[in-house]
Amino acid sequence: MTKRHLHGATLECVQGDIVHQPDMESVVNAANAELRIGGGVAGAIHRAAGPGLERECRPLAPIRPGQAVITGAHNLPNRYVVHCLGPIYGIDQPSDMLLASCYKNALQLAEQNMIASIAFPAISTGAFGYPMESAVRVAFKTIIGVLPRLSSVKYVRFVLFHHADVRVCEDVLVDLMEENDDA
Ligand code: ADP
């Protein structure tokens, strides 16, 4: 769980639950198009946030794959929730571009709202079937690509539910940071 520093920001991968990130100003929901309570991350976030979150989400739905919207965090210990609809792997095409859009749009919303810290789950890697390693590679490539243009966002955390995925995430991060050094 090493922290990495790049372009004045900190990046890290941790094992945990996205609803238990009290030191993060914002958390990201791996949302469904209707922005309703669901399984996985969307279920955990809506249960922890309470019914006020679904009420706030209603007029913002539906969203398209790659899109992101922002709401308050209600009973979660954060200020904001950024809701992203990831692509269904192999069905919403091109999946890699749509997944990259999720991260770009989420970071853009964070920037517009002067958010300093954001915690992401591994969008699309659960019910939507995206292989973890490829998904994390798209995620970090996108994050590292936009970091130089961000001024508010100083802390990006990746929260992995399963311990084994933390290793995958860290290996990809180290690999991409080395590529970035070489460039
Ligand atoms: P998607 O529909 O975008 O695939 P899911 O919510 O099904 O989203 O899963 C996304 C990833 O988040 C999966 O790797 C899953 O194991 C993980 N996950 C599920 N619940 C949580 C949670 N409470 N905190 C962090 N990660 C979670």
Side-chain angles (χ1 to χ4, degrees), residues 16-21 29-32 39-45 47 84-87 120-130 132 159-162 165:
D17 189 321
I18 196 72
V19 304
H20 295 138
Q21 305 299 322
N29 181 16
N32 47 62
V41 171
I45 288 208
R47 273 192 303 277
C84 293
L85 178 61
F120 286 95
I123 298 168
S124 284
T125 64
F128 286 179
Y130 215 117
M132 181 63 70
V159 180
L160 290 313
F161 213 31
H162 303 289
D165 295 333

Side-chain angles (χ1 to χ4, degrees), residues 163-175:
H163 190 72
D165 295 333
V166 178
R167 184 64 194 272
V168 174
C169 184
E170 291 204 322
D171 287 351
V172 168
L173 181 54
V174 168
D175 201 31

